[in-house]
Amino acid sequence: MSPFPDDLPPLDCHAHIAPDVTAAQIDALQGAVVFAVTRTPVEAHRAGRRRDARLVWGSGVHPGVPEALDAFDRQLFRATLRNSCLIGEVGLDRRGNLERQRTVLAQILHAAQDQAVLLSLHSTGRTGPLLDLLTDQPHPGMILHWFLGNPTERQHAIDLGAYFSVNAAMPDDILTSLPLTRVLPETDFPASRRATGASRPGHVDRLEQRLAQLHSMTPEDVRRRFWQNLRELTTRTHVLDRLPEHVADWALEA
């Protein structure tokens, strides 16, 4: 029997949580399900040892963190995927050398190509180069995190089959331009807490209310749509069975 409320819990598909988070700190998330991305191979290694009912841990190499790029090892990274169904945070960033970032991301995409995983992809300042790389090396589990591409880039990403994790700091025109069936919630906590209004990972109330107003829905319907989208994405990528048991159950019940 699920230890959580019968109603669907808040869902956060991109937030940063320290791998040494305590049970009390997880309880403070008020039942939210959080996809906890990491920034460095060291963080990913520590996170890979955990088994948490409400947290889905990612294996990340943040493109804006030079020491993460320095520590990347293709074989070791692929080995982490045995224990993780989430790759993130990875991608391209306006800070640093583009070719170096692109080389690492290409290797990550190659490691993921035959794996049942989702990918949380960063694209700040380099949406075009990221889409070029994803066009050459597509993956059915692509989730574009806080994607601010122009209309042509957004349509390109939609055509590639990507999903989008969105937050309350994003402008209305971008939120309404993305298919509601491809949208997932995020907070990107803690770095963006002022912009999003999120006080903790999983605090997506403001986003649910915004989308409800934009799409003439109730916040409850928006939350259910998020879970339905997660179910559809994880089913087509064969990730559903790799999620923590109760997370998979909620997705199936949505």
Side-chain angles (χ1 to χ4, degrees), residues 38-45 59-62 65 67-68 71:
T38 56
R39 291 184 174 91
T40 68
V42 171
E43 280 188 358
H45 177 70
S59 183
V61 184
H62 195 294
V65 179
E67 55 266 34

Side-chain angles (χ1 to χ4, degrees), residues 118-226:
L118 305 179
L119 298 96
S120 188
L121 292 151
H122 177 106
S123 60
T124 301
R126 285 179 170 163
T127 53
L130 178 72
L131 291 175
D132 289 342
L133 192 52
L134 296 180
T135 301
D136 292 338
Q137 296 180 254
H139 189 281
M142 299 180 295
I143 305 173
L144 300 182
H145 144 65
W146 204 332
F147 188 76
L148 296 177
N150 61 40
T152 299
E153 291 168 335
R154 293 199 295 273
Q155 188 59 53
H156 187 180
I158 292 167
D159 293 342
L160 286 173
Y163 279 60
F164 304 84
S165 59
V166 302
N167 60 66
M170 295 174 67
D172 286 353
D173 64 319
I174 291 183
L175 291 176
T176 54
S177 71
L178 302 174
L180 193 58
T181 54
R182 300 272 194 90
V183 168
L184 295 165
E186 67 163 50
T187 62
D188 197 23
F189 192 88
S192 60
R193 55 191 169 191
R194 289 186 180 179
T196 64
S199 62
R200 62 186 180 277
H203 186 200
V204 294
D205 303 40
R206 183 178 168 193
L207 172 65
E208 291 173 340
Q209 292 163 5
R210 285 264 314 281
L211 287 176
Q213 292 174 347
L214 291 172
H215 292 281
S216 300
M217 301 167 66
T218 67
E220 292 78 14
D221 287 339
V222 170
R223 181 174 297 185
R224 188 166 299 279
R225 180 73 262 175
F226 288 154

Side-chain angles (χ1 to χ4, degrees), residues 7-162:
D7 293 338
L8 293 172
L11 177 64
D12 185 346
C13 289
H14 186 106
H16 296 273
I17 296 177
D20 60 355
V21 62
T22 66
Q25 289 170 324
I26 293 175
D27 287 343
L29 300 180
Q30 301 184 14
V33 169
V34 179
F35 284 53
V37 296
T38 56
R39 291 184 174 91
T40 68
V42 171
E43 280 188 358
H45 177 70
R46 293 172 180 165
R49 300 174 180 172
R50 298 188 62 107
R51 296 293 180 271
D52 296 288
R54 308 178 213 177
L55 304 182
V56 180
W57 290 96
S59 183
V61 184
H62 195 294
V65 179
E67 55 266 34
L69 299 174
D70 290 342
F72 174 74
D73 179 279
R74 179 172 54 187
Q75 292 183 331
L76 292 177
F77 179 83
R78 186 175 174 88
T80 68
L81 303 186
R82 291 195 293 266
N83 298 316
S84 177
C85 63
L86 175 64
I87 295 175
E89 180 171 4
V90 299
L92 302 178
D93 185 88
R94 62 173 173 253
R95 297 166 293 177
N97 181 273
L98 174 59
E99 288 309 312
R100 184 185 185 207
Q101 294 177 15
R102 186 154 40 197
T103 296
V104 170
L105 182 57
Q107 292 181 66
I108 289 171
L109 292 171
H110 185 266
Q113 67 181 8
D114 59 349
Q115 300 293 306
V117 293
L118 305 179
L119 298 96
S120 188
L121 292 151
H122 177 106
S123 60
T124 301
R126 285 179 170 163
T127 53
L130 178 72
L131 291 175
D132 289 342
L133 192 52
L134 296 180
T135 301
D136 292 338
Q137 296 180 254
H139 189 281
M142 299 180 295
I143 305 173
L144 300 182
H145 144 65
W146 204 332
F147 188 76
L148 296 177
N150 61 40
T152 299
E153 291 168 335
R154 293 199 295 273
Q155 188 59 53
H156 187 180
I158 292 167
D159 293 342
L160 286 173

